[in-house]
Amino acid sequence: MREEDFFRRARAGSVGPLEGVRVLDVTKVWSGPLATCVMADMGADVVRVELADGHDGEVPPNIPGTGLSWFRETVHRNKRSAGLDLRDDVDRARFLELVAHADIVVENYKPGTLDGWGAGYEACRAVREDIVFVSVSGFGQYGPKSHLPAYDPAIQAAAGWMSLNGLPEGPPVRAPTFLADELAGLHAAIGGLAALAHRNRTGEGQHVDVSMVDCLLASSSGLPTLAATGAPPQRLGNETDFVVPANVYACADGHLYLAVAINRHWRALAEIIGRPELGRAEGFGTAPERLANRDAVNAIVAGWCAGRPLAEALEVLNGRGLVAAPVRTLTEAVADEHVKARAMLQETVLSNGSVAPIVGPAVKFSRTPTKVRRGAPRPGADTEEVLSELAANDEKNSLRRAS
C-alpha cells in the first residue's frame, strides 16, 4: 500500500483521534510523561502542571545544536505547560479548577504524595466526580511494598526481568532503555483511555492504578507463569529456548540476526549454505532435534556467515523468505529509508527556535493522522493561556446558568 492510499480518507485539520480530550499531566521523569505524551500525540490537549522555574526532565546530554535536553524535548512534545506549585494554596486551587474542566489526570509521584498536598484522587473527585485519575508508581497504590520509591533499573531487578537479560555466562544486565518506565507509560495510557471509554458510557470516573512491577511482569511474554510453576526460564543471551537457529552471527563486515522457526525454512537454509542433506538429516530435520543439537547447528550457520559480506548474506537469506536482519547501530537504524518513510523522526521547531528530529508517533491513523505538532514547552510557558481559557470557560458556564 502507498502512503497516500492509506491516508486518502484523512480528515482535514484533524490533530488526532483524541481531539477534544483534556488531560492534566502531573508527572516527572519518564513513565508518567510517556503516558501523557502518547495521549498528546493522539490529539489530546495535554497541560503539563510543573514548577515554572523547574528543571524536570532536563537530563543530559543536550540535543546537538539546540542547547536543550533530549529527555525533555522527546517526551513533552505536543504538550502545553502551566507553572503551578501544588504545595501552594493558591496554585493548588487553580489546579483543582483545571481538574473541574479536565477528563483525565495522570500522576506518577510516590503514593500518598499528592494526597498530602491536597491534590490526590479524592480532592480531584470532589471537584469532578467523574474524573479519570491515573496513578503510576513503582509498586502500585496498595500492597506491602507500595511505599517504596523506584527507578526503572530497580524495577527491572525486582520484577526478575534483569535476571533473564545478558549472556548465559555473564551477570544480569539491565535494558539500555527505560523498559519498565516505557511499559508502565503505555499501560497507563491504555488504562486511562479505557477508563475514559467507561466514563463516557456510564458517567462513572475512577482511579486507575498502574504499577511498574505489574507492567513488566505482564509484558514478560508469559514467562512468569513458567517461573511460578517450577520451570523458570534461563538466561540465553541472543538465543531462545524454542527455536534453533535463532542467534546473532558474524559476517565478514558486520553481524546479522537469523531465526529459523519452521522446518520448511530450515530446509531452505540447508540449501543456501550448500548442505541440503541437513534439511531432513537425523539431529537436524525437526525443531526438537535442532534444539537438542544447538551447538552443532550454530557452528554450521556461523561458519557459512563468517566469510560473507553482510549485504550478500542478507540478500540470499531474505530472497528465500527467511527472517534475517542486519544488526545496526541506532544511528544506522534512524537513517533507514523505511524509518524515514514512516515519519518516525520529524523535524520540529523547539522552544528556543532551534530545530531537531524528534521521535514521531508510532501508531498511524488513516482518518485522524497524528504528528509532532509542537516541541516541548518551556516550564510554565503556557500558564497565562491555560488560566485565561479556564476563566473563559467559567464565564460561559455562568452565562449558561443565567439563561
Side-chain angles (χ1 to χ4, degrees):
M1 179 181 288
R2 297 178 305 172
E3 180 181 359
E4 54 266 34
D5 292 334
F6 182 81
F7 290 112
R8 69 185 182 278
R9 295 188 179 91
R11 286 178 174 269
S14 172
V15 296
L18 294 184
E19 187 171 1
V21 173
R22 293 181 293 275
V23 180
L24 294 181
D25 173 335
V26 191
T27 68
K28 55 182 181 176
V29 194
W30 195 263
S31 60
L34 179 67
T36 55
C37 179
V38 170
M39 296 179 188
D41 283 354
M42 293 184 182
D45 177 19
V46 175
V47 176
R48 179 162 173 76
V49 177
E50 59 185 334
L51 297 178
D53 58 353
H55 301 280
D56 183 68
E58 295 180 8
V59 177
N62 289 339
I63 302 171
T66 70
L68 298 171
S69 166
W70 66 278
F71 196 99
R72 183 178 176 90
E73 297 308 311
T74 299
V75 83
H76 293 312
R77 62 183 187 257
N78 288 337
K79 301 177 185 179
R80 297 192 288 169
S81 175
L84 298 174
D85 185 346
L86 298 186
R87 298 165 298 184
D88 176 81
D89 291 343
V90 174
D91 279 0
R92 182 168 58 254
R94 289 172 175 163
F95 166 72
L96 292 175
E97 288 182 54
L98 291 175
V99 171
H101 296 276
D103 296 297
I104 302 173
V105 176
V106 181
E107 64 92 11
N108 69 329
Y109 281 76
K110 186 178 174 182
T113 300
L114 291 192
D115 291 327
W117 295 345
Y121 175 55
E122 293 302 329
C124 291
R125 187 173 181 272
V127 298
R128 177 152 191 177
E129 187 175 2
D130 65 351
I131 195 70
V132 172
F133 193 95
V134 182
S135 294
V136 184
S137 61
F139 296 87
Q141 298 299 301
Y142 60 87
K145 294 185 178 179
S146 60
H147 65 287
L148 294 178
Y151 288 132
D152 179 280
I155 297 300
Q156 292 183 36
W161 189 92
M162 195 182 292
S163 71
L164 301 178
N165 195 40
L167 297 174
E169 64 276 11
V173 178
R174 76 168 184 90
T177 59
F178 308 127
L179 181 63
D181 277 338
E182 295 271 352
L183 291 170
L186 292 175
H187 280 286
I190 294 168
L193 296 177
L196 182 62
H198 175 81
R199 199 279 305 276
N200 292 342
R201 189 176 71 253
T202 68
E204 299 171 343
Q206 60 185 300
H207 193 177
V208 180
D209 178 15
V210 181
S211 155
M212 292 166 67
V213 169
D214 293 355
C215 292
L216 198 47
L217 288 170
S219 301
S220 290
S221 305
L223 296 178
T225 296
L226 289 178
T229 52
Q234 303 302 307
R235 195 181 313 133
L236 292 170
N238 293 316
E239 300 194 75
T240 77
D241 55 2
F242 56 93
V243 172
V244 172
N247 207 344
V248 171
Y249 301 97
C251 292
D253 55 350
H255 292 79
L256 64 79
Y257 177 83
L258 171 67
V260 178
I262 58 179
N263 294 334
R264 175 169 54 85
H265 284 174
W266 168 252
R267 291 192 292 272
L269 180 61
E271 293 176 3
I272 289 171
I273 65 178
R275 300 286 302 277
E277 74 280 4
L278 295 179
R280 300 182 187 277
E282 183 177 353
F284 296 92
T286 67
E289 288 177 310
R290 291 192 295 277
L291 279 171
N293 208 11
R294 182 187 298 270
D295 290 344
V297 173
N298 276 329
I300 291 168
V301 177
W304 180 81
C305 290
R308 286 171 171 75
L310 176 62
E312 176 187 307
L314 287 169
E315 182 178 8
V316 174
L317 294 168
N318 292 152
R320 292 294 298 270
L322 301 186
V323 177
V327 179
R328 290 173 167 162
T329 65
L330 195 54
T331 300
E332 292 169 334
V334 298
D336 184 89
E337 289 302 315
H338 184 78
V339 172
K340 292 179 180 179
R342 299 288 294 176
M344 284 311 300
L345 286 163
Q346 300 181 11
E347 292 296 318
T348 304
V349 178
L350 306 184
S351 60
N352 63 1
S354 61
V355 178
I358 300 300
V359 177
V363 182
K364 310 324 187 209
F365 297 89
S366 67
R367 292 282 287 182
T368 54
T370 59
K371 64 179 181 179
V372 180
R373 303 182 301 279
R374 59 177 286 180
R378 289 177 287 101
D382 306 293
T383 306
E384 183 176 341
E385 177 183 77
V386 171
L387 295 181
S388 295
E389 290 173 358
L390 181 63
N393 285 333
D394 287 342
E395 183 177 351
K396 288 180 183 178
N397 291 336
S398 297
L399 292 173
R400 191 179 299 115
R401 285 192 295 268
S403 63

